[in-house]
Amino acid sequence: MDVIFAALGLLWDPTVIGIMLACAVYGLAVGSIPGLSASMAVALLVPMTFFIDAVPALAGIVTLAAMAIFAGDLPGAFLRIPGTPASAAYADEAYKMSLQGKGERALGIGLVCSAIGGVFGALVLLFAAPSLAKIALKFSTFEYFWLACMGLSAAVVVSHGNMAKGMLSLFLGLFIAMIGIDPMSGQIRYTFGNSALIGGLGFIPVLIGFFALSEVMRFAALRVRPTHSASTVGNVFSGLGQDVIRLRYGILRGCGLGTIIGAIPGAGADIASYISYAAQKKLSKNPEKFGTGIVDGIGPASAANNSAVGGAFVPATVFGIPGDSLSAIIIGVLYMKGLNPGPTVFLRQPELITAVFLAFLIANIMLVPFGFAAIKMFKQVLRVPRTLLMPSILAFCIVGAFAVENAVFAVTTMLIVGVLGYLMEENGYPIAPAILGLVLGPMLEENFLSSMMKAHGDFAAFFERPLAAGIAAVTIILWLYPVLSWGFANLKAHRNKALS
């Protein structure tokens, strides 16, 4: 407890508080801009940390990260443009709620669950970081392969309606992820002689194209166009208590999944949110309502988002191994400030690293009032006539795609994928599985090839390690569950028919 009180003393400083407040505003602003991620926002802030001390610098960065992850929900709910990749899992759900005039419920549940998930992740950081890091370090390429397979299984769940079309969409995403250079052999593939494709297709331009540009095209194709947005924002916290109580187990599950997946190096908030969304739908009493606009699909996934950030800090601080791109940048700042990540940092400078963890906890508590203010300000977008708003969104799409890669080809990619996304949705093919395939494709391929090289081509090695066998068993059960359910349903129907 002495260490915690000493850490609080370091944070109770006007400079630290001022920097945290400024970074909160900056994180909300950057996170709400489509195409800009929390990692990008942190990277842009790193040069400023040269001129300030360790505690205010790191407190500002973790505050920025917490705010930016939530801020991605704002354009997702209002405009169907995920501000950050982590918001893509439930952007469609939130947008459909906004179109029904329930935007306040979508944003309210997202805000509070993001704060709950962040607080959960911060508490895990404070009290269980070393233990959780030891589990995460036991993951080899075999475990990563099965984890990716488990994530891809979510594609079937997030496919609203036709499972076959969902699988085709998933395979499309996997194909897009394979464009470029083979991760093991270095062989160039699927470039069709175009040198611009050697580096693959950028994730952000593809994401913007699938979600944002396809929505602009859908509006342009309407024969009768609404002059103003159909979505409205009222009392953000209306009925929120009932929703949180009803979804309490799903939110806790999302917190746990987010923390565990975030602690696994190479995973991240986007994978955690997809798996949490899929788990909630699988266990729901009304899975058919998912994708039509309900809070059940938003709360647990939002909780997984912010808890994954705390989970990623676990291996970063305990062993110096980044859990994702965001924690990789933070490791660099830790080294720059003389806080060398590793077990010794808890022995030599416990009050400093504890102050960083407490700053993350405070930042997630700050998220509720700051997020509420951001929602109220961002809703002014709804006052703009959609005939003016849609061309502005198109301009944002072009600027966002170009800014990420600084190449015109990224804009071309965004435009082509946008047309593809529009055609897919018009013909009943869901977008979410394609995004999931794009996210998990590289992880699946690289770990499969590495594992096969280690095992000298013996596939039985994928089941030899106890942890890998456990994840494999869960994954295979998920694969067989739809088939077994269908078989048992048919068997029961035949038996009832025979008895009648």
Short mmCIF file of all heavy atoms in Angstrom, two decimals, residues 42 46 49-50 57-58 61 316-317 320-322 324-341:
data_model
loop_
_atom_site.label_atom_id
_atom_site.label_comp_id
_atom_site.label_asym_id
_atom_site.label_seq_id
_atom_site.Cartn_x
_atom_site.Cartn_y
_atom_site.Cartn_z
N VAL A 42 -0.68 8.16 -30.41
CA VAL A 42 0.42 8.06 -29.45
C VAL A 42 1.76 8.35 -30.14
O VAL A 42 2.62 9.06 -29.59
CB VAL A 42 0.44 6.66 -28.80
CG1 VAL A 42 1.71 6.48 -27.98
CG2 VAL A 42 -0.78 6.48 -27.91
N VAL A 46 4.80 11.22 -29.16
CA VAL A 46 6.10 10.80 -28.62
C VAL A 46 7.15 11.90 -28.64
O VAL A 46 7.87 12.10 -27.64
CB VAL A 46 6.60 9.53 -29.34
CG1 VAL A 46 8.08 9.27 -29.02
CG2 VAL A 46 5.76 8.32 -28.95
N THR A 49 7.28 14.04 -25.58
CA THR A 49 7.69 13.46 -24.31
C THR A 49 9.17 13.69 -24.01
O THR A 49 9.61 13.48 -22.88
CB THR A 49 7.40 11.95 -24.28
OG1 THR A 49 8.17 11.30 -25.32
CG2 THR A 49 5.93 11.67 -24.50
N PHE A 50 9.95 14.11 -25.01
CA PHE A 50 11.36 14.42 -24.77
C PHE A 50 11.52 15.56 -23.77
O PHE A 50 12.53 15.65 -23.07
CB PHE A 50 12.05 14.80 -26.09
CG PHE A 50 12.40 13.62 -26.95
CD1 PHE A 50 11.59 13.27 -28.02
CD2 PHE A 50 13.52 12.85 -26.70
CE1 PHE A 50 11.90 12.21 -28.83
CE2 PHE A 50 13.84 11.77 -27.50
CZ PHE A 50 13.03 11.44 -28.57
N ALA A 57 4.72 12.24 -18.75
CA ALA A 57 4.76 11.76 -20.14
C ALA A 57 3.97 10.47 -20.29
O ALA A 57 3.11 10.34 -21.18
CB ALA A 57 6.21 11.55 -20.58
N LEU A 58 4.22 9.50 -19.41
CA LEU A 58 3.55 8.20 -19.51
C LEU A 58 2.09 8.30 -19.09
O LEU A 58 1.23 7.61 -19.65
CB LEU A 58 4.29 7.18 -18.66
CG LEU A 58 5.66 6.79 -19.23
CD1 LEU A 58 6.52 6.11 -18.17
CD2 LEU A 58 5.50 5.89 -20.45
N ILE A 61 0.24 9.59 -22.06
CA ILE A 61 0.12 8.61 -23.15
C ILE A 61 -0.97 7.58 -22.84
O ILE A 61 -1.78 7.23 -23.72
CB ILE A 61 1.48 7.93 -23.40
CG1 ILE A 61 2.39 8.89 -24.17
CG2 ILE A 61 1.32 6.63 -24.17
CD1 ILE A 61 3.78 8.36 -24.42
N ALA A 316 4.22 -5.94 -21.79
CA ALA A 316 5.08 -4.80 -22.12
C ALA A 316 5.88 -4.33 -20.91
O ALA A 316 7.08 -4.03 -21.03
CB ALA A 316 4.23 -3.65 -22.67
N THR A 317 5.25 -4.26 -19.76
CA THR A 317 5.93 -3.76 -18.57
C THR A 317 6.68 -4.86 -17.82
O THR A 317 7.74 -4.61 -17.26
CB THR A 317 4.93 -3.10 -17.61
OG1 THR A 317 3.87 -4.01 -17.32
CG2 THR A 317 4.35 -1.84 -18.23
N GLY A 320 8.90 -6.57 -21.23
CA GLY A 320 9.39 -5.76 -22.33
C GLY A 320 8.96 -6.28 -23.69
O GLY A 320 9.58 -5.96 -24.71
N ILE A 321 7.90 -7.09 -23.71
CA ILE A 321 7.39 -7.66 -24.97
C ILE A 321 6.08 -6.96 -25.31
O ILE A 321 5.11 -7.02 -24.53
CB ILE A 321 7.14 -9.18 -24.83
CG1 ILE A 321 8.44 -9.89 -24.47
CG2 ILE A 321 6.55 -9.76 -26.10
CD1 ILE A 321 8.27 -11.35 -24.15
N PRO A 322 5.99 -6.29 -26.44
CA PRO A 322 4.76 -5.56 -26.77
C PRO A 322 3.60 -6.49 -27.06
O PRO A 322 3.75 -7.48 -27.79
CB PRO A 322 5.14 -4.75 -28.01
CG PRO A 322 6.28 -5.50 -28.62
CD PRO A 322 7.03 -6.13 -27.48
N ASP A 324 0.82 -5.24 -28.50
CA ASP A 324 0.31 -4.72 -29.76
C ASP A 324 1.16 -3.51 -30.15
O ASP A 324 2.15 -3.18 -29.49
CB ASP A 324 -1.18 -4.36 -29.66
CG ASP A 324 -1.45 -3.35 -28.55
OD1 ASP A 324 -0.49 -2.82 -27.96
OD2 ASP A 324 -2.63 -3.07 -28.27
N SER A 325 0.78 -2.86 -31.25
CA SER A 325 1.57 -1.72 -31.74
C SER A 325 1.57 -0.56 -30.74
O SER A 325 2.56 0.17 -30.60
CB SER A 325 1.03 -1.25 -33.09
OG SER A 325 -0.34 -0.89 -32.99
N LEU A 326 0.46 -0.39 -30.03
CA LEU A 326 0.36 0.69 -29.05
C LEU A 326 1.34 0.49 -27.91
O LEU A 326 2.08 1.40 -27.52
CB LEU A 326 -1.07 0.77 -28.52
CG LEU A 326 -1.37 1.83 -27.44
CD1 LEU A 326 -1.11 3.22 -27.98
CD2 LEU A 326 -2.80 1.70 -26.96
N SER A 327 1.37 -0.72 -27.35
CA SER A 327 2.29 -0.99 -26.24
C SER A 327 3.74 -0.99 -26.71
O SER A 327 4.65 -0.71 -25.92
CB SER A 327 1.94 -2.32 -25.57
OG SER A 327 1.98 -3.39 -26.50
N ALA A 328 3.98 -1.28 -28.00
CA ALA A 328 5.34 -1.21 -28.54
C ALA A 328 5.87 0.22 -28.47
O ALA A 328 7.05 0.45 -28.13
CB ALA A 328 5.36 -1.73 -29.98
N ILE A 329 5.01 1.18 -28.80
CA ILE A 329 5.41 2.59 -28.72
C ILE A 329 5.66 2.99 -27.27
O ILE A 329 6.64 3.70 -26.96
CB ILE A 329 4.33 3.49 -29.35
CG1 ILE A 329 4.14 3.13 -30.83
CG2 ILE A 329 4.71 4.96 -29.21
CD1 ILE A 329 2.94 3.81 -31.47
N ILE A 330 4.81 2.49 -26.37
CA ILE A 330 4.96 2.83 -24.95
C ILE A 330 6.25 2.24 -24.39
O ILE A 330 6.92 2.86 -23.55
CB ILE A 330 3.73 2.35 -24.16
CG1 ILE A 330 2.51 3.18 -24.57
CG2 ILE A 330 3.95 2.44 -22.66
CD1 ILE A 330 1.21 2.72 -23.96
N ILE A 331 6.65 1.05 -24.86
CA ILE A 331 7.93 0.46 -24.43
C ILE A 331 9.08 1.39 -24.80
O ILE A 331 10.02 1.60 -24.01
CB ILE A 331 8.12 -0.94 -25.06
CG1 ILE A 331 7.22 -1.95 -24.36
CG2 ILE A 331 9.57 -1.39 -24.95
CD1 ILE A 331 7.26 -3.33 -24.98
N GLY A 332 9.01 1.95 -26.01
CA GLY A 332 10.05 2.89 -26.44
C GLY A 332 10.14 4.10 -25.51
O GLY A 332 11.24 4.55 -25.17
N VAL A 333 8.99 4.60 -25.09
CA VAL A 333 8.97 5.76 -24.18
C VAL A 333 9.52 5.36 -22.80
O VAL A 333 10.24 6.13 -22.16
CB VAL A 333 7.55 6.33 -24.05
CG1 VAL A 333 7.52 7.49 -23.07
CG2 VAL A 333 7.03 6.78 -25.41
N LEU A 334 9.20 4.14 -22.35
CA LEU A 334 9.73 3.66 -21.08
C LEU A 334 11.25 3.61 -21.10
O LEU A 334 11.92 4.06 -20.15
CB LEU A 334 9.17 2.27 -20.76
CG LEU A 334 7.70 2.18 -20.32
CD1 LEU A 334 7.23 0.73 -20.30
CD2 LEU A 334 7.52 2.79 -18.94
N TYR A 335 11.82 3.08 -22.18
CA TYR A 335 13.27 3.03 -22.31
C TYR A 335 13.85 4.44 -22.35
O TYR A 335 14.90 4.73 -21.74
CB TYR A 335 13.67 2.27 -23.58
CG TYR A 335 13.71 0.78 -23.42
CD1 TYR A 335 12.86 -0.05 -24.14
CD2 TYR A 335 14.63 0.19 -22.55
CE1 TYR A 335 12.90 -1.42 -23.99
CE2 TYR A 335 14.67 -1.19 -22.40
CZ TYR A 335 13.81 -1.98 -23.12
OH TYR A 335 13.87 -3.36 -22.97
N MET A 336 13.17 5.31 -23.07
CA MET A 336 13.65 6.69 -23.21
C MET A 336 13.70 7.41 -21.87
O MET A 336 14.55 8.27 -21.63
CB MET A 336 12.72 7.43 -24.18
CG MET A 336 13.20 8.80 -24.62
SD MET A 336 12.13 9.45 -25.91
CE MET A 336 10.60 9.65 -25.03
N LYS A 337 12.79 7.05 -20.96
CA LYS A 337 12.71 7.69 -19.65
C LYS A 337 13.47 6.92 -18.57
O LYS A 337 13.37 7.25 -17.38
CB LYS A 337 11.24 7.84 -19.24
CG LYS A 337 10.46 8.80 -20.13
CD LYS A 337 11.05 10.19 -20.11
CE LYS A 337 10.32 11.15 -21.01
NZ LYS A 337 10.95 12.49 -21.02
N GLY A 338 14.23 5.90 -18.97
CA GLY A 338 15.03 5.16 -18.00
C GLY A 338 14.28 4.10 -17.23
O GLY A 338 14.83 3.52 -16.28
N LEU A 339 13.02 3.82 -17.60
CA LEU A 339 12.23 2.77 -16.94
C LEU A 339 12.32 1.50 -17.79
O LEU A 339 11.39 1.15 -18.52
CB LEU A 339 10.77 3.20 -16.78
CG LEU A 339 10.49 4.31 -15.76
CD1 LEU A 339 9.07 4.82 -15.92
CD2 LEU A 339 10.68 3.79 -14.35
N ASN A 340 13.45 0.80 -17.72
CA ASN A 340 13.65 -0.36 -18.58
C ASN A 340 12.63 -1.45 -18.23
O ASN A 340 12.63 -1.96 -17.09
CB ASN A 340 15.06 -0.92 -18.40
CG ASN A 340 16.10 0.08 -18.87
OD1 ASN A 340 15.77 1.02 -19.59
ND2 ASN A 340 17.34 -0.12 -18.47
N PRO A 341 11.76 -1.82 -19.17
CA PRO A 341 10.73 -2.82 -18.87
C PRO A 341 11.35 -4.16 -18.48
O PRO A 341 12.38 -4.56 -19.02
CB PRO A 341 9.96 -2.94 -20.20
CG PRO A 341 10.27 -1.69 -20.94
CD PRO A 341 11.66 -1.31 -20.53
#
